[in-house]
Amino acid sequence: MKDFLKDLNKEQYEAVVNFEGPSMIIAGAGSGKTRVLTYRIAHLLDKGVDPFQVLALTFTNKAAREMKERVIQLIGDGEARNVWMGTFHSVFAKILRIEGHHLGYPSHFTIYDTDDSKKLIRNIIKEMNLDPKVYVPNYVRSRISMAKSHLIGPEDYAADPEIITADESGAKPLIKEIYKSYNARLKRSDAMDFDDLLFNTYLLFHSFAEVLYKYQQKFRYILVDEYQDTNQAQYLIVKKLAANTENICVVGDDAQSIYAFRGANIQNILNFRKDYPDYKLFKLEQNYRSTKVIVSAANKVITFNKEQIKKTVWTDNDEGEKIGFIKATSDNEEGKLVADAIFSTKMNQQRPNRDFAILYRTNAQSRSMEESLRKLNIPYRIYGGQSFYNRKEIKDLLAYFRVVINPNDEEALQRSINTPSRGIGKTSMQHIIVTADAHNVSMWEVINAPQKYALKVNSGILNKLSVYATLIKSFAAGMKKKEAYETAKLIAEGSGLIRMLREEETPEGLSRVENIEELLNSVKEFSEQGAEANEGDLESQGSLEEFMQEVALFTDADKDEEGDNDKVSLMTIHAAKGLEFPFVYIVGLEENLFPSVQSISTRSDLEEERRLFYVALTRAKKKVTLSYAESRYRWGQFSFSEPSRFLEEIDESLLDIPHKTALKTAPSGNSQPEKGSYYPPSGKRNLKPVNTSVTGTATTDFQADDTTGLKAGMEVEHPKFGKGKVVSVEGMGPNKKATVFFNSTGNKNLLLRFAKLKILK
């Protein structure tokens, strides 16, 4: 066997071979974290550790697949496939399939995704006659999710004075009742949401000592990726599992902890040394990804955070280009300047589109970027857009799969029962829901025994319900005899979904049929992979139930790229974590946008925003360009912007700043002013940008005055048109205008809320 340990540097080697006892690997950006994790697993197996005793937990299926593939490359797939490796949610779902009966769940329980949860909450809000504008389903769901991630169930939620006070002060005192009803409906449907997979695993280990002991003995070596992103539930579950052997290895970077809004707790990694006083610490500080300039800039920025594990990231890579800055007068111009810069680099360096990424703080910022890229015919894709599995026709067919596997799944039943239309209207469905609630049974039980539960619908509806129930039962019977693909195909055709879409006779309908065909292909591929993994054993093909679990645990980070992937990537910085690109543009670097206005009132929130900026910087391999706009519309309101404080935290020597000689005077004739402007040197320096689009005589330290008292006859200065004299002022408030005669251009009509004027006298 190849001595794969030769591939490691000294620090990586030490982190791989010292696998007994607790250890923490602090891995700087681009330092080979995934390599160390996979080599450590391979080394464990090479040393004779039973693969069934190794548990590796990640945050995305993509990371788990990549790790498993690398382990197979190192030692072959004979042993590697037996390692318990996957996301927290997928591994815990597997355990709950086996042990869930202790908590009253069948092995075929349904996993609700975010859309399912929101729909159920929306229905409960409607049934309680609450105002959805007050009890916004998204907000209520996030409130419940945060509670579950902190292991606060409905009863504890309702008994917590601090939580109740917060809900009452927000005029939402009934969230506790929605939470209680929501959990009861999940249980009645034999369903769990994403947060329940963690909550219930903790409950299982906390309440059933024999189950905990079983898995403590099973998992003798535990590895956790991205430990800084773990929440309270994940932290306590891992701690319980590792309590006997303490052979726990956590890998992460406190400087990249950016998911507090999802419940992640940076204290988990900062306090590891307190949990395991005899731990070993390994620091991976060599960056293999970025240039010296980028590494130096990121290092300097993160030093402004007080709460951190000290490390010094360094690189042997080239010095690289200095960090570029683009200043725009508006968000639309920012989009144009960024698109122009990408186009220029593409042409000059013959770079493919996929080498470029535009990162922003909020999804709304993508609009101006998209419009500008389209005008230059630069193809792009937006991460976080609609997933294949979120398309309506796909959700419709998946609902049938779900209700065939688990007929008590009420969300799936409600989606499938009248798709295609069977004449079972909203009124009939409401009667079924009310009857099920009154008898505390599932809707499926009411549909199967309407006389028993005195369902108040006419005979025509009873007949239609009977036809639906018989259809689902026939699919379920077929599922026991047929493999996953045949069952899926039978449901797609027998349900009438394909026929309904074909009857549309539109290009959209045809496209939807093709999407269903693609879903069936993925079921086929899943089945064959199961057989292949078991040396062709057809009895070991993946079941439809297993396929549905994989789909339910699918995350945004696991999306497959469709078609041609030579496109510029647009995404939020949160979505970019774990990715890398040669050229990165970080846009919207303005106070109250980045850092966010919600994150500047406490040190902990501000430090998380700074870590987010650190993550953005370290996505780049060759060059980073930063941009901001002096003004933009936010929530329909026009506002002026100040440059982000983060810009001051980068050393001046690392910035690509044009000299003062780059300032232009007014061109003669009909020449157009030169576009593009840049941010000035950092440190104790003027926050106002050097403007290279000046066509008048404004100075570099130009600062606008309040123009509320502007009157005719006053002498003023404009950053673009230079010095002039006010001819007249008219209008009031936001519509106030001034006519100004400028020496360089003559009369100009200016809307004062947009115009920046310095009053000279």
Side-chain angles (χ1 to χ4, degrees), residues 324 326 337-346 355-360 369 568-569 571 573 581 583-589 616 620 623-627:
I326 295 174
L337 294 174
V338 168
D340 286 347
I342 290 173
F343 184 82
S344 176
T345 303
K346 248 173 60 75
D355 280 0
F356 299 87
I358 301 174
L359 309 183
Y360 34 75
M369 300 296 151
V568 174
S569 296
M571 68 189 83
I573 302 166
F581 304 89
F583 300 90
V584 169
Y585 293 77
I586 308 170
V587 301
L589 276 158
K623 183 171 182 179
V624 173
T625 301
L626 309 178
S627 77

Side-chain angles (χ1 to χ4, degrees), residues 323-327 628 643 647-660 677-691 700-701:
I323 292 172
F325 278 86
I326 295 174
K327 188 261 326 188
Y628 75 96
L647 297 175
E648 289 191 345
E649 297 173 358
I650 298 175
D651 276 342
E652 180 178 333
S653 62
L654 303 175
L655 305 175
D656 182 12
I657 308 296
H659 298 293
K660 290 184 180 180
S677 45
Y678 300 79
Y679 197 80
S682 193
K684 292 183 179 178
R685 54 190 188 264
N686 175 22
L687 275 176
K688 288 295 173 183
V690 175
N691 192 332
T700 58
D701 61 349

Side-chain angles (χ1 to χ4, degrees), residues 464-638:
K464 291 169 182 174
L465 292 175
S466 176
V467 170
Y468 171 77
T470 301
L471 183 69
I472 298 302
K473 289 174 185 174
S474 70
F475 291 153
M479 184 171 65
K480 295 175 183 177
K481 301 173 185 176
K482 301 176 185 292
E483 50 87 24
Y485 172 72
E486 290 299 323
T487 304
K489 187 178 178 184
L490 174 68
I491 295 172
E493 293 174 346
S495 64
L497 280 177
I498 291 180
R499 183 179 67 253
M500 176 186 74
L501 294 173
R502 282 187 175 142
E503 286 173 353
E504 287 184 16
E505 295 184 346
T506 64
E508 292 78 13
L510 178 60
S511 176
R512 293 183 185 118
V513 172
E514 290 171 349
N515 287 337
I516 284 184
E517 182 183 3
E518 183 59 29
L519 178 63
L520 295 177
N521 290 341
S522 68
V523 176
K524 181 74 170 177
E525 183 180 6
F526 177 82
S527 296
E528 290 177 351
Q529 284 174 347
E532 182 183 358
N534 290 277
E535 286 76 40
D537 179 10
L538 292 175
E539 295 297 317
S540 299
Q541 291 183 93
S543 68
L544 189 61
E545 187 175 334
E546 290 169 331
F547 172 80
M548 286 303 296
Q549 172 165 313
E550 185 165 286
V551 169
L553 296 171
F554 195 74
T555 68
D556 282 348
D558 300 312
K559 288 179 185 175
D560 289 324
E561 300 167 4
E562 297 178 22
D564 177 19
N565 68 354
D566 186 26
K567 298 175 181 178
V568 174
S569 296
L570 276 65
M571 68 189 83
T572 64
I573 302 166
H574 284 100
K577 190 162 178 289
L579 303 177
E580 59 181 36
F581 304 89
F583 300 90
V584 169
Y585 293 77
I586 308 170
V587 301
L589 276 158
E590 298 141 31
E591 282 295 297
N592 299 328
L593 181 56
F594 193 16
S596 164
V597 68
Q598 289 90 9
S599 304
I600 55 178
S601 57
T602 68
R603 176 176 294 280
S604 62
D605 287 346
L606 181 58
E607 291 200 349
E608 172 136 340
E609 288 288 291
R610 187 175 285 111
R611 291 194 294 270
L612 191 59
F613 185 45
Y614 176 89
V615 166
L617 287 170
T618 55
R619 297 312 92 201
K621 297 165 74 173
K622 287 184 66 66
K623 183 171 182 179
V624 173
T625 301
L626 309 178
S627 77
Y628 75 96
E630 288 186 300
S631 62
R632 69 174 64 236
Y633 277 93
R634 299 187 68 190
W635 301 104
Q637 296 293 318
F638 179 85

Side-chain angles (χ1 to χ4, degrees), residues 89 92 96 103 105 110 112 117 144 148-149 179 182-183 186-187 191-203:
H89 291 88
F92 295 164
L96 287 168
L103 301 174
Y105 286 91
T110 299
Y112 275 20
S117 295
I144 292 172
K148 287 187 178 184
S149 70
Y179 186 6
Y182 172 73
N183 252 30
L186 282 173
K187 191 71 170 65
M192 298 186 199
D193 64 19
F194 271 19
D195 297 300
D196 285 329
L197 297 176
L198 306 181
F199 189 103
N200 287 334
T201 301
Y202 172 80
L203 194 61

Side-chain angles (χ1 to χ4, degrees), residues 163-284:
I163 291 175
I164 298 307
T165 300
D167 285 347
E168 288 175 348
S169 65
K172 300 174 182 64
L174 295 179
I175 287 181
K176 61 183 179 183
E177 298 299 329
I178 299 172
Y179 186 6
K180 181 180 176 181
S181 179
Y182 172 73
N183 252 30
R185 292 276 279 272
L186 282 173
K187 191 71 170 65
R188 194 171 80 187
S189 295
D190 290 335
M192 298 186 199
D193 64 19
F194 271 19
D195 297 300
D196 285 329
L197 297 176
L198 306 181
F199 189 103
N200 287 334
T201 301
Y202 172 80
L203 194 61
L204 183 70
F205 290 158
H206 179 73
S207 304
F208 300 92
E210 70 280 11
V211 177
L212 173 60
Y213 180 75
K214 171 182 173 181
Y215 287 93
Q216 284 176 335
Q217 295 303 111
K218 178 176 180 59
F219 301 130
R220 310 291 292 180
Y221 294 88
I222 299 172
L223 301 93
V224 185
D225 191 16
E226 306 286 12
Y227 192 64
Q228 78 279 350
D229 294 334
T230 53
N231 62 24
Q232 181 73 356
Q234 291 162 328
Y235 163 74
L236 289 174
I237 293 168
V238 169
K239 193 174 181 185
K240 281 180 177 293
L241 284 173
N244 277 4
T245 65
E246 291 198 346
N247 286 329
I248 177 171
C249 171
V250 302
V251 184
D253 181 6
D254 57 294
Q256 297 186 64
S257 178
I258 60 173
Y259 292 116
F261 69 96
R262 292 183 189 168
N265 185 357
I266 192 174
Q267 295 303 322
N268 293 346
I269 194 166
L270 295 176
N271 291 337
F272 187 83
R273 66 194 80 185
K274 295 179 182 177
D275 292 334
Y276 305 96
D278 59 341
Y279 83 112
K280 300 185 189 78
L281 175 64
F282 304 97
K283 292 184 180 180
L284 308 182

Side-chain angles (χ1 to χ4, degrees), residues 121 125 131-141 172:
I121 289 169
I125 290 168
D131 185 351
K133 293 179 181 176
V134 176
Y135 290 89
V136 179
N138 259 343
Y139 175 82
V140 175
R141 191 198 70 81
K172 300 174 182 64

Side-chain angles (χ1 to χ4, degrees), residues 84 91-100 204-205 215 219:
W84 275 56
V91 169
F92 295 164
K94 190 174 179 181
I95 290 173
L96 287 168
R97 297 277 183 211
I98 300 167
E99 311 291 350
L204 183 70
F205 290 158
Y215 287 93
F219 301 130

